[in-house]
Amino acid sequence: MLERLIELIDKNCNNVDKDMVKKAYYFADKAHKKQKRESGEPYIMHPVEVACILAEMGLDTGTIVAGLLHDVIEDTNFNHEDVSREFSPEVANLVEGVTKLGKIEYKTKEEQQADNVRKMLLAMADDIRVILIKLADRLHNMRTLKYLPVEKQKEKAKETFDIYAPLAHRLGMSKIKWELEDLAFRYINQNEYYFIVRKIAEKRVEREKYIDQIIKQLKENLKKAGIESDIEGRPKHFYSIYRKMVKKNKTIDQIFDLTAVRILVDNVKDCYASLGIAHTIYKPIPGRFKDYIAMPKPNMYQSLHSTVIGPQGKPFEIQIRTFEMHKTAEYGIAAHWKYKEGVETANDIDKKLTWLREMLEWQRETSDAEEFMERFKIDLFSDEVFVFTPKGTVINLPYEATPIDFAYKIHTDIGNSCIGAKVSGKMVPLDYHLKTGEIVEILVSSTPKGPSIDWLNVVKSNQAKSKIRSWFKKAKREENILKGKELLEKETKKQGYNFGEIAKGEIINSVLKKYNMNSLDDLYASVGVGGLNPSTIVLKMKDMYIQTTKMDIDDWKKIKDKLDKFTAKPHRKRKDSPGVIVKGETNVLVRFAKCCNPVPGDFIIGYITKGRGVSIHRRDCKNIEFLLKNKNNKVVDVSWGKPKGEYITEIKIEGDDRQKLLSELMDIINDSKICLYAVNAKPVRGGIAVIDMKLKISSIDELKDVMRKLRKVKGVKEVYRTKN
């Protein structure tokens, strides 16, 4: 394995310290000595294969050494200091950057994935080599995916589709991108994958013969013109074919350009000369020519593309580029690499990674894991349009971007001052979708009022959304604080709680820490501007409130001991006794607390009041905790006697906001022969209706029975008793 790695280094790399590579190999071999892969092979095979992939890209000593050591910190007893001492801080930082956040506990996989992606983006911004190692690591893992359980195969394949293949595309690493996509496609859509493989194989000989004929014809004509070239047929990748079939709704037999012809020449002049010769031999199809040399893609890709009609009337694609452009197309950022001597300066590389800096900008403002991953994938997957400033500068934007996106791409102040736009000399609305090749001019106000909140629904780029939100955070902070507070209080009330009651102490401190907020006002402002979802925050606080208590653990133990002394049992009856018995006495004035509305069958506890007898509470009533802590001498043992009459209780129903929902619920109440004392229904956001009902019932069993029936009504999501 080591010999093969050294051969690849000799073939592809410059100035690599092979002694350091050997040292890293033996270090990794020792660290992983007792470990095996799922295939049963020694673990050391994986880091060596990762290093081989990096050597094929022609990378430097530090990257290849870090590739050999990339799992040492995560999977062995060695730490960052050990690697730094044995090799260098540079290598240790690269290994640390690749290491996942595996030791932190997360509530959901989305949170874990989001934090891992955040860590990776930050490490990339510090040293782009981190992602090159990570991509090599993922590529070899995908090549050996067959040894994992089926569920794990699908999970890894989906993650590869969602994150790693798009990242490889953004970095211009098409060779790795295509292989990752084909491997992921194989495990996610097995039937389609093997169907395409079989169909491609059936006509392979016929297709190769056709392409060979074209290559021969092109070579002869280019040689006559004195152009030195390499020409080869490039078969389309399986996933590319599948995507074309789905997008254009065609069968594989209806797709003719399954192979492209690639012409490699020495310089740009020969690229355009070769294109002219190709167009004299084969008729070009109108609208199918793209010049990525004059206007490179943001991932540095350069090439001429033209679809032409070949022999037998079959269309095929011709790609023309220089040898240097071809290297960039295959390995992207790895081919234009600031750690190589005499290739490019750090500033040149940084210009090519503008998208990464923009991504880092908005990701810092997004705390919700689900929203972060959604916006991250949109940024990676979105198609692009290329438009011009009036001075001729090319600006790339997401597909269907608007003049507002363009304005914020130029400068934040231009975006905030934007009042109109001209496209190719004509006035257009601000929600106009820009098209490639258009010249865009932004009209600005000398006394800007700032962006409109509606722009958030219009813009397509995360960069523009981030800057608009930032403006509202700063310019309308007080207004956003009031709005956010109102939204949080409404959401808390909807869930049966009081915001002021649960937003205290460690609960609110924990929430502020999670969202990187310094104060409660910061939280209100972020909710008010739409940066955080109020329901997500309230759910977190509610969960913490239920799990914890307003008192410390010692106080709670004391209260629990006191509660255990009260032996009230449901349905304990005495002949001819009143509804509630207080310490064995039946002739005592009692009243039922409205904060929890106990009914026969509930576990209950009593509290002696001034002049109004004994107040009866449910034992799970929140007020009891306070009474036991502060006024426990007034708490008495009570039990149910023979229940008398009917008791009022409150329930809350949440369901889809649809017609006839309330009438169907009331039919259930009537059929159950239960008296409906009061009802209040209101719609809330997200198509949900909330219905509060007060019922007169005789026992807990009667209540449970009607709640069970209510839950069966179409669209009902929750039915529960309200507290306090």
Side-chain angles (χ1 to χ4, degrees), residues 285-553:
I285 297 176
R288 297 296 300 273
F289 168 66
K290 291 175 183 174
D291 187 345
Y292 294 118
I293 292 178
M295 200 181 294
K297 289 186 178 182
N299 65 4
M300 300 165 289
Y301 179 86
Q302 286 184 288
S303 186
L304 298 175
H305 288 199
S306 182
T307 304
V308 298
I309 302 294
Q312 305 163 29
K314 293 180 182 178
F316 71 94
E317 185 182 59
I318 297 176
Q319 298 175 356
I320 307 169
R321 62 183 77 140
T322 67
F323 290 97
E324 191 60 35
M325 289 173 190
H326 180 59
K327 193 175 179 185
T328 301
E330 294 280 289
Y331 295 114
I333 199 76
H336 287 258
W337 164 237
K338 67 180 175 185
Y339 297 92
K340 282 185 170 182
E341 294 178 15
V343 178
E344 290 191 56
T345 65
N347 287 336
D348 292 329
I349 290 293
D350 287 341
K351 285 176 187 174
K352 287 164 181 158
L353 293 173
T354 305
W355 63 272
L356 175 58
R357 288 199 307 276
E358 290 171 357
M359 200 179 283
L360 284 168
E361 259 181 50
W362 63 256
Q363 71 90 16
R364 288 190 187 100
E365 300 177 6
T366 309
S367 303
D368 185 77
E370 206 170 307
E371 184 190 354
F372 168 77
M373 287 309 298
E374 184 182 342
R375 287 172 67 181
F376 175 70
K377 289 170 189 176
I378 288 170
D379 236 21
L380 286 181
F381 275 111
S382 59
D383 290 331
E384 292 170 310
V385 294
F386 300 89
V387 293
F388 296 93
T389 67
K391 292 184 178 179
T393 305
V394 179
I395 302 291
N396 63 292
L397 294 165
Y399 179 66
E400 292 189 340
T402 65
I404 304 171
D405 291 286
F406 177 90
Y408 278 106
K409 185 83 172 187
I410 300 298
H411 196 279
T412 304
D413 290 341
I414 301 292
N416 290 339
S417 307
C418 175
I419 55 170
K422 286 183 180 180
V423 172
S424 300
K426 295 180 181 178
M427 290 293 295
V428 296
L430 289 177
D431 60 356
Y432 173 81
H433 292 163
L434 299 173
K435 299 174 185 64
T436 293
E438 291 180 327
I439 300 169
V440 185
E441 181 184 351
I442 299 298
L443 308 179
V444 296
S445 169
S446 56
T447 54
K449 296 179 180 178
S452 163
I453 194 70
D454 295 332
W455 288 5
L456 287 170
N457 300 319
V458 172
V459 295
K460 299 298 178 185
S461 65
N462 284 321
Q463 181 193 14
K465 285 181 182 177
S466 176
K467 288 180 177 179
I468 293 167
R469 286 194 176 115
S470 179
W471 188 90
F472 277 102
K473 280 181 183 176
K474 291 174 184 173
K476 296 196 173 184
R477 181 170 169 80
E478 290 302 319
E479 185 182 323
N480 290 328
I481 287 172
L482 291 172
K483 185 179 177 183
K485 186 177 181 183
E486 184 183 346
L487 288 170
L488 284 168
E489 286 175 347
K490 279 184 179 178
E491 184 63 33
T492 315
K493 192 174 180 182
K494 172 190 160 187
Q495 298 193 30
Y497 290 82
N498 179 283
F499 184 76
E501 185 182 3
I502 65 173
K504 291 179 180 176
E506 283 305 309
I507 294 176
I508 192 63
N509 288 338
S510 178
V511 170
L512 293 176
K513 187 177 179 182
K514 176 175 177 58
Y515 292 108
N516 298 316
M517 304 286 179
N518 295 319
S519 67
L520 192 54
D521 279 352
D522 289 344
L523 184 68
Y524 289 150
S526 187
V527 171
V529 79
L532 291 174
N533 188 328
S535 63
T536 304
I537 295 168
V538 172
L539 279 171
K540 288 182 189 300
M541 295 177 77
K542 178 181 165 185
D543 288 344
M544 291 171 71
Y545 184 79
I546 291 169
Q547 290 169 13
T548 59
T549 170
K550 288 181 265 184
M551 294 160 275
D552 62 37
I553 193 73

Side-chain angles (χ1 to χ4, degrees), residues 56-72:
E56 285 174 359
M57 294 185 212
L59 294 173
D60 63 312
T61 304
T63 314
I64 295 171
V65 168
L68 284 165
L69 303 173
H70 78 274
D71 276 335
V72 163

Side-chain angles (χ1 to χ4, degrees), residues 58-317:
L59 294 173
D60 63 312
T61 304
T63 314
I64 295 171
V65 168
L68 284 165
L69 303 173
H70 78 274
D71 276 335
V72 163
I73 293 178
E74 187 174 341
D75 294 337
T76 75
N77 294 325
F78 292 102
N79 57 29
H80 183 279
E81 289 73 24
D82 297 327
V83 176
S84 182
R85 185 174 56 253
E86 286 292 327
F87 297 92
S88 70
E90 174 198 12
V91 169
N93 290 338
L94 284 171
V95 176
E96 183 73 36
V98 179
T99 302
K100 294 193 292 290
L101 302 169
K103 294 179 183 177
I104 301 174
E105 287 188 19
Y106 295 91
K107 284 190 176 181
T108 64
K109 280 190 176 181
E110 287 78 14
E111 279 188 17
Q112 185 174 17
Q113 188 184 56
D115 270 4
N116 279 324
V117 170
R118 275 195 183 98
K119 180 176 184 283
M120 186 172 67
L121 287 175
L122 289 168
M124 280 170 65
D126 189 47
D127 192 330
I128 195 67
R129 291 178 294 177
V130 167
I131 193 58
L132 304 183
I133 299 167
K134 192 65 187 172
L135 286 171
D137 171 45
R138 178 51 61 114
L139 180 57
H140 184 250
N141 280 332
M142 290 300 293
R143 287 173 178 174
T144 56
L145 202 60
K146 63 181 178 183
Y147 296 107
L148 293 183
V150 173
E151 201 60 39
K152 208 69 172 163
Q153 288 176 355
K154 289 187 182 296
E155 184 185 317
K156 292 287 182 188
K158 186 177 186 307
E159 189 179 53
T160 299
F161 258 139
D162 288 349
I163 297 171
Y164 294 100
L167 266 174
H169 171 68
R170 272 302 187 110
L171 294 167
M173 304 169 74
S174 63
K175 189 172 183 181
I176 288 181
K177 177 218 175 190
W178 286 120
E179 189 175 353
L180 285 174
E181 284 187 338
D182 277 357
L183 288 167
F185 178 42
R186 174 182 170 188
Y187 290 100
I188 289 179
N189 300 88
Q190 282 196 8
N191 293 338
E192 290 87 345
Y193 174 84
Y194 285 110
F195 169 78
I196 291 171
V197 170
R198 194 169 59 251
K199 283 288 186 181
I200 293 290
E202 283 175 6
K203 296 187 177 181
R204 184 172 61 86
V205 176
E206 178 188 328
R207 196 165 47 253
E208 285 178 356
K209 188 178 177 182
Y210 176 72
I211 291 297
D212 286 344
Q213 178 187 347
I214 292 168
I215 290 173
K216 185 180 177 184
Q217 209 168 7
L218 282 169
K219 271 186 177 177
E220 288 173 356
N221 282 271
L222 290 176
K223 195 171 182 180
K224 284 178 187 176
I227 298 173
E228 291 295 323
S229 64
D230 276 358
I231 307 177
E232 59 182 6
R234 184 189 69 83
K236 276 194 181 286
H237 297 272
F238 299 131
Y239 180 64
S240 161
I241 295 167
Y242 172 72
R243 194 170 54 192
K244 198 165 188 178
M245 287 166 63
V246 171
K247 193 175 180 181
K248 297 193 175 181
N249 196 24
K250 289 185 176 182
T251 66
I252 195 166
D253 295 322
Q254 293 172 308
I255 298 174
F256 296 106
D257 54 337
L258 293 176
T259 306
V261 172
R262 184 183 292 141
I263 302 173
L264 304 181
V265 294
D266 291 324
N267 52 55
V268 173
K269 183 185 74 172
D270 287 348
C271 288
Y272 289 101
S274 300
L275 177 70
I277 290 167
H279 281 181
T280 59
I281 305 169
Y282 310 111
K283 189 174 182 179
I285 297 176
R288 297 296 300 273
F289 168 66
K290 291 175 183 174
D291 187 345
Y292 294 118
I293 292 178
M295 200 181 294
K297 289 186 178 182
N299 65 4
M300 300 165 289
Y301 179 86
Q302 286 184 288
S303 186
L304 298 175
H305 288 199
S306 182
T307 304
V308 298
I309 302 294
Q312 305 163 29
K314 293 180 182 178
F316 71 94
E317 185 182 59

Side-chain angles (χ1 to χ4, degrees), residues 662-674 705-713:
L662 182 59
S663 64
E664 289 176 24
L665 295 170
M666 293 177 71
D667 286 344
I668 298 284
I669 303 292
N670 291 332
D671 292 343
S672 301
K673 297 182 179 177
I674 289 175
D705 183 57
V706 74
M707 287 173 70
R708 187 174 62 252
K709 290 175 181 175
L710 291 171
R711 288 189 187 101
K712 292 180 180 179
V713 173

